[in-house]
Amino acid sequence: MRPIYSVVVPVYNEETILPELYSRLTAVMEQLGEPYELIFVNDGSQDRSLEVMQTLHDQDPRVKVISFARNFGHQVAITAGLDYAKGDAIVIIDADLQDPPEVIPELVARWKAGYEVVYAVRTEREGETWFKEVTAKLFYRLIRSITNVDIPVDTGDFRLMDRQVVETLRAMRERHRFMRGMSSWVGFRQTGVPYRRHRRYAGETKYPFRKMLKFALDGITSFSYLPLQLATYLGFAIAALSALFIAFVIVARLSGMQAFVGQATTLVAVLFLGGIQLISLGILGEYLGRVYEEIKGRPLYIVAQTWGLEQAPLPPHAHVVDVSHLRRPDVAGAKSRTSSEVSQEQRPSR
Ligand code: UDP
Ligand code: MG
């Protein structure tokens, strides 16, 4: 039977969590009373995660497994799950139980009311370091202020998406993926459901600082050119200031003042500008490197083996995305989004 719901779970070294995750997800999904599938994506785990998943699949055919040839990263694991998912509504959830499965029925209720994207908004985070909490808060506000995409603050990838949205996302094959931004970019009717983010059930975060930084840069570079324009703005500002300064120095010299005669002035000016130039080059490099990776056009991921899944259908042609045939009959209750509504709904924490 074709599933109504697909739950996509990216998994990287989570052997201690999987049994608990499975039983909590199963309890919640069975309560919904419609057919569903759980898709575990093994992102090159080095522990026994894959064996645990296989055992779960043997016991319960609703559990399906995709196993990558190596670690491709969280966002790519989610992408693979979306590629293979068959459901009408697809839920993305982390494996570590920070996103409680018990919120899924609330997401489903909003979907049934007609929304195509229902994202979960973190009102509180438990057991997170102050550093992560502060940087995350700053990051979501920064990215919101420098992009034209309405990316709601304090939302992760924990969300439900309609088949229309998933099919659209499947056409977006960019390599440096910021899924939460991409799923805002597509439009449709979107709404948020607040929830409390729990602490990790077991194990440690798979996002060390280095990965977090790369992820943040992926988000910014995918949705904004502002960093590239920074060099232009700085250039104009510094040129204007220098012009004023030249005039000042000429006047000072003519009036016989002993100003700016030492080497220090020269050194400071050269080093300051050198620093700014290097930073601008680095920013260019961040974009250029990403352009290079895109242009190589390598596959996004390599699936070594699957359990319980057919080969994923090819993604729709990237330049023609017409998902109108997948539209559900219009449901009363869902409003098309207007920007004032969106900003109210999407910023409950403000
Ligand atoms: N994950 C993954 N591949 C990776 C890193 C993480 O599939 O390279 C999974 C991980 O197993 C978890 C989810 O992505 O299900 C989120 O990771 P984590 O909980 O470590 O991130 P945090 O919540 O600390 O930001
Ligand atoms: Mg986590």
Side-chain angles (χ1 to χ4, degrees):
M1 200 184 336
R2 204 176 70 80
I4 301 291
Y5 303 110
S6 303
V7 182
V8 169
V9 192
V11 180
Y12 180 51
N13 294 345
E14 310 280 14
E15 58 176 2
T16 45
I17 299 176
L18 287 174
E20 174 74 11
L21 173 74
Y22 167 75
S23 63
R24 274 178 60 186
L25 270 178
T26 304
V28 168
M29 295 311 292
E30 277 183 348
Q31 187 196 318
L32 290 173
E34 280 168 304
Y36 67 89
E37 61 181 358
L38 305 179
I39 302 185
F40 290 113
V41 185
N42 173 39
D43 186 13
S45 302
Q46 290 117 19
D47 65 357
R48 292 187 53 258
S49 293
L50 182 59
E51 287 164 55
V52 180
M53 289 181 217
Q54 279 172 265
T55 315
L56 290 174
H57 166 73
D58 290 341
Q59 291 163 0
D60 180 351
R62 292 173 302 190
V63 173
K64 300 168 185 182
V65 183
I66 302 170
S67 190
F68 282 174
R70 65 166 168 87
N71 179 261
F72 281 90
H74 176 206
Q75 302 289 300
V76 174
I78 292 175
T79 307
L82 298 184
D83 283 341
Y84 283 79
K86 286 259 164 58
D88 292 337
I90 293 96
V91 176
I92 301 173
I93 190 167
D94 280 356
D96 58 2
L97 291 167
Q98 281 195 291
D99 310 326
E102 292 71 26
V103 177
I104 294 178
E106 290 176 52
L107 304 183
V108 167
R110 305 301 285 152
W111 175 65
K112 291 219 155 147
Y115 290 95
E116 278 91 12
V117 176
V118 189
Y119 48 83
V121 187
R122 307 157 173 170
T123 51
E124 261 177 73
R125 285 167 168 245
E126 284 173 6
E128 213 86 83
T129 60
W130 67 265
F131 180 75
K132 174 125 185 185
E133 212 159 305
V134 170
T135 47
K137 275 240 178 304
L138 281 177
F139 170 69
Y140 288 115
R141 278 150 190 85
L142 171 76
I143 197 160
R144 194 179 164 82
S145 63
I146 64 173
T147 58
N148 341 334
V149 183
D150 228 331
I151 302 174
V153 297
D154 303 328
T155 62
D157 292 314
F158 185 24
R159 58 186 62 219
L160 177 149
M161 296 182 292
D162 184 74
R163 162 109 334 247
Q164 272 194 309
V165 172
V166 168
E167 216 50 49
T168 308
L169 284 177
R170 290 184 67 228
M172 297 160 67
R173 304 311 286 180
E174 62 210 64
R175 177 160 320 270
H176 293 275
R177 305 175 77 76
F178 187 64
M179 296 297 289
R180 49 199 79 166
M182 292 161 70
S183 99
S184 301
W185 181 88
V186 299
F188 293 97
R189 289 168 295 196
Q190 312 218 354
T191 188
V193 168
Y195 81 110
R196 268 182 60 217
R197 189 157 163 93
H198 292 217
R199 61 182 68 241
R200 221 173 204 286
Y201 179 73
E204 282 171 11
T205 174
K206 308 297 181 299
Y207 264 98
F209 182 69
R210 185 176 41 80
K211 267 198 202 171
M212 234 161 67
L213 190 67
K214 187 188 162 293
F215 182 57
L217 284 175
D218 280 344
I220 292 172
T221 52
S222 306
F223 288 96
S224 171
Y225 294 132
L226 192 76
L228 282 175
Q229 294 161 336
L230 231 50
T232 321
Y233 299 143
L234 267 173
F236 274 115
I238 293 175
L241 282 176
S242 324
L244 289 178
F245 189 61
I246 289 169
F248 173 71
V249 171
I250 291 175
V251 173
R253 279 291 160 90
L254 288 180
S255 58
M257 256 170 79
Q258 281 295 308
F260 311 108
V261 286
Q263 290 176 358
T265 329
T266 323
L267 254 181
V268 167
V270 168
L271 290 180
F272 175 72
L273 265 184
I276 289 188
Q277 283 170 345
L278 286 178
I279 292 171
S280 312
L281 270 181
I283 294 176
L284 257 180
E286 290 294 335
Y287 282 86
L288 186 63
R290 285 173 171 79
V291 171
Y292 179 51
E293 294 227 312
E294 292 298 343
I295 218 146
K296 278 192 281 190
R298 291 193 185 158
L300 274 183
Y301 54 81
I302 303 165
V303 174
Q305 206 171 349
T306 60
W307 286 264
L309 290 164
E310 299 154 27
Q311 196 153 33
L314 284 178
H317 192 286
H319 298 291
V320 189
V321 177
D322 180 350
V323 287
S324 54
H325 60 292
L326 296 169
R327 190 167 190 86
R328 289 179 289 160
D330 254 339
V331 196
K335 296 162 274 177
S336 288
R337 64 193 216 154
T338 61
S339 61
S340 68
E341 259 170 12
V342 167
S343 51
Q344 272 171 16
E345 279 171 3
Q346 295 189 335
R347 286 183 238 176
S349 57
R350 276 195 183 170

